[in-house]
Amino acid sequence: MPLLNLGILAHVDAGKTSLTERLLHTAGVIDEIGSVDAGSTQTDTLALERQRGITIKSAVVSFPVDDVTVNLIDTPGHPDFIAEVERVLGVLDGAVLVVSAVEGVQAQTRVLMRTLHRLRIPTLVFVNKIDRRGARYEDVLRAISQRLTAAVVPMGSATGLGTRAARFTPGLGPAALDALADHDDDLLAAYVEDTVSPDLLRASLTARTRQALVHPVYAGSAITGAGVTALLDGIKELLPAADGDPDGPVSGTVFKVERGPAGEKIAYARIFSGTLRIRDRVPCGDPGREGRITAISVFDHGTDVRSDAVPAGRIARLWGLADIRIGDSIGEPRRPYGHLFAPPTLETVVVPGPAADRRALHLALTQLAEQDPLIGLRHDEVRQETSVSLYGEVQKEVVQATLADEYGLDVGFRETTPLCIERPVGTGAAVEFNKRDPNPFLATVGLRVDPAPAGSGTAFRLEVELGSMPYAFFKAVEDTVRETLAQGLHGWQVTDCTVTMTHSGYSPRQSHAHQGFDKSMSSTGADFRGLTPLVLIEALRRAGTRVHEPMHRFRLEAPADTLGALLPVLAGLRAVPRTTETRGAGCVLEGTVPAVHVHALEKQLPGLTRGEGELESAFDHYAPVAHGTVPERPRTDHNPVNYPSLKLAKAMGLHNGRHWR
């Protein structure tokens, strides 16, 4: 039986979850359509999702369309939960992008379509809410063509817009031929020869849609059901079925991890090759790690059912993989997509309430983080604080509510701050030699830091012979370099640099007569792990670092007569308009704004524009901090920046709890 793994994606409030309910009802899986407002939908199963009426976690539900089984994955629409969308994209065969007929193309719609294009995921577009007052179809079609993709194929016409009688009538018009001929030479030749048949046009549409070259556009209403049958026909006919050899080597990808009632991990995985069975031992995650499958369930007719095996092409829930993480491979690794969206650009400190147990809070935050790999935790053992990185204020509210509802923990947050980075300004080098003051370690380490192009990350290289000392010591230096770069001179992650090891040396293994190995005379990995941060920070000090803050690009549409009120507010938020365009009674501003001020701009915009302003923003780049005091981030370690205090520490005989030799 053919199988299709389908993602439903949209901007928040476009009606994505309501469309999922309507598809399940039309397919005969559910007898009654759930309501987002009433909290009775199939895919929004979390209590918090039902309370807020938004999707927070992706969910899988299965339904048949004639002879095709569709595994439908409902994803969050709010940009604060983009990490949920990111991990789902890698397991899809096709997608439906939902656009509101009232609000039209919005910020998140454009972000999603750009990513679907990049991954070449075959995508249908569904213009929802044609029954709502203010619904537009032709205007939205033009906006899709102008702002999302020019390769759109209208799959019919909409009538009765803005009323309960709104309908979608399927049918390919002249626009379909124009869009397809740009991508199909045979169809173009047939057009020139006036021999285009409906079958040829339909075959070209199917082929080009499956190649992600064109995007069919349907319209309808998830509430009334208008146009949904036509959409189901398109899903069945135009999107490609899952492929994969069930007899090949096992290969899958984990896109979601949740905790069961007993606290056990449950992994959601797409199997791309082979067949995974209960009691199989399979490689998973890092090299050398294995797990044993203790239970499997697959999705069928609106629910998940236990199974002894899961073949290629299917999505399953897996038990028994205690160390599994989101993004891990099962069996043979697949080529990773890497991060498709920008990382979080904001951070806040979690403040436990008066009765909150700090150890329980630490465990709860760790469990939340393992379900969301783009949301990082930072534990400060010195101050007994935990920071969490975020995409926005809504996400902060959800974390707070989740800790209260699921873990019984009352927490607050400090003010949200931007998550900055540091980049080296120039080149700096430092070296400490074995058995020379003030070096207290039996190791020689020399490091040079050089700036690298923006976005290149960090690299570690050797200018010394690999055989000059045991490989384990080189590995200790490299690992410690990467750990140390997490906190630069100002406490921020140091990136876009190359660290080169210029000097190395060690004390060979020695022992006393009739005794064993003498650590006081021989180098160990701890010597190199202890010395490397001191040398690296000194090299960074000599190179100098500059703090950069995250900047968002923004696009703001507003009535032209509100521009006078808008510009001073934008200036106060350090937003810099790059282009201003007047369109009739409206205007469009595009520019950049510090990430930390995006939320404030969103809050002020309705009052400044009589509720007519529309703002879309997304991370664009990091820019040097040019205003006010350079932001500092409290360190979570024992601060190797204080390297000059080594002599004093050595005189006292202690450093980080370790006795000097």
Side-chain angles (χ1 to χ4, degrees), residues 125-138:
V125 180
F126 185 73
V127 180
N128 192 25
K129 302 184 181 181
I130 64 170
D131 59 319
R132 295 284 184 90
R133 180 180 300 177
R136 302 159 294 142
Y137 180 57
E138 296 297 334

Side-chain angles (χ1 to χ4, degrees), residues 512-523:
H512 295 291
H514 310 297
Q515 295 180 8
F517 171 50
D518 187 346
K519 289 186 178 180
S520 69
M521 302 170 61
S522 312
S523 297

Side-chain angles (χ1 to χ4, degrees), residues 10 24 38 50 61 128 175 209-210 245 301 359 366 371 396 402 448 474 497 518 525 531 575 601 607 611 655:
L24 294 175
R50 296 179 183 276
V61 64
N128 192 25
T209 301
R210 291 180 177 181
D245 180 7
H301 281 73
R359 286 176 295 181
T366 301
Q371 298 172 29
K396 185 163 70 174
T402 302
R448 186 180 68 248
F474 286 111
C497 65
D518 187 346
L531 182 59
L601 181 55
H655 178 67

Side-chain angles (χ1 to χ4, degrees), residues 242-562:
D243 58 7
D245 180 7
D247 298 320
V250 171
S251 178
T253 298
V254 174
F255 65 91
K256 178 179 178 178
V257 174
E258 65 183 17
R259 293 273 178 173
E264 75 279 15
K265 280 188 179 181
I266 305 170
Y268 287 66
R270 159 81 187 265
I271 306 301
F272 291 95
S273 172
T275 299
L276 190 62
R277 297 177 174 83
I278 292 178
R279 293 182 291 278
D280 280 356
R281 293 196 69 87
V282 290
C284 55
D286 296 333
R289 278 204 293 136
E290 280 191 344
R292 182 174 179 270
I293 305 298
T294 58
I296 296 173
S297 68
V298 296
F299 296 92
D300 189 36
H301 281 73
T303 186
D304 63 304
V305 295
R306 290 301 176 107
S307 175
D308 293 332
V310 52
R314 299 210 71 156
I315 289 174
R317 301 172 80 210
L318 307 174
W319 283 258
L321 305 177
D323 297 324
I324 202 72
R325 298 168 302 191
I326 291 170
D328 280 353
S329 294
I330 295 176
E332 290 195 357
R334 291 173 52 81
R335 179 182 63 83
Y337 279 131
H339 287 322
L340 307 173
F341 303 105
T345 56
L346 302 172
E347 184 178 57
T348 185
V349 174
V350 182
V351 180
D357 184 316
R358 288 183 178 272
R359 286 176 295 181
L361 176 59
H362 184 279
L363 177 62
L365 288 170
T366 301
Q367 290 187 0
L368 290 181
E370 72 185 16
Q371 298 172 29
D372 204 336
L374 288 187
I375 306 306
L377 294 181
R378 183 172 180 265
H379 300 293
D380 186 338
E381 297 297 338
V382 177
R383 296 168 188 80
Q384 292 296 296
E385 293 178 347
T386 299
S387 301
V388 58
S389 55
L390 302 164
Y391 280 96
E393 296 298 316
V394 172
Q395 188 180 19
K396 185 163 70 174
E397 295 170 12
V398 167
V399 170
Q400 184 178 38
T402 302
L403 289 172
D405 296 345
E406 298 185 15
Y407 297 92
L409 295 168
D410 176 32
V411 302
F413 298 94
R414 291 189 192 155
E415 182 182 2
T416 302
T417 57
L419 202 52
C420 300
I421 63 170
E422 292 182 49
R423 287 177 174 146
V425 176
T427 294
V431 61
E432 286 294 332
F433 292 97
N434 188 10
K435 299 179 181 178
R436 290 192 197 172
D437 283 340
N439 181 6
F441 299 99
L442 289 179
T444 294
V445 173
L447 298 171
R448 186 180 68 248
V449 176
D450 295 295
S456 61
T458 58
F460 179 79
R461 294 178 181 154
L462 296 178
E463 276 186 4
V464 294
E465 291 292 334
L466 190 57
S468 62
M469 64 181 187
Y471 173 74
F473 294 163
F474 286 111
K475 187 70 167 65
V477 172
E478 179 177 359
D479 291 346
T480 307
V481 162
R482 297 189 184 281
E483 292 170 9
T484 304
L485 289 175
Q487 301 184 83
L489 302 181
H490 300 278
W492 303 103
Q493 173 88 35
V494 181
T495 188
D496 301 333
C497 65
T498 300
V499 179
T500 304
M501 189 170 184
T502 58
H503 296 77
S504 65
Y506 73 110
S507 295
R509 184 182 181 95
Q510 298 182 42
S511 61
H512 295 291
H514 310 297
Q515 295 180 8
F517 171 50
D518 187 346
K519 289 186 178 180
S520 69
M521 302 170 61
S522 312
S523 297
T524 67
D527 286 294
F528 289 90
R529 288 190 292 271
L531 182 59
T532 297
L534 308 176
V535 176
L536 179 56
I537 289 294
E538 182 61 22
L540 279 173
R541 190 200 307 277
R542 295 175 182 179
T545 65
R546 181 174 295 151
V547 177
H548 293 63
E549 64 179 331
M551 304 292 293
H552 281 218
R553 63 180 179 276
F554 72 86
R555 185 178 189 276
L556 195 160
E557 294 188 30
D561 61 358
T562 66

Side-chain angles (χ1 to χ4, degrees), residues 579-595:
T579 62
T580 304
E581 179 183 353
T582 302
R583 297 179 180 177
C587 65
V588 178
L589 285 77
E590 295 186 358
T592 59
V593 59

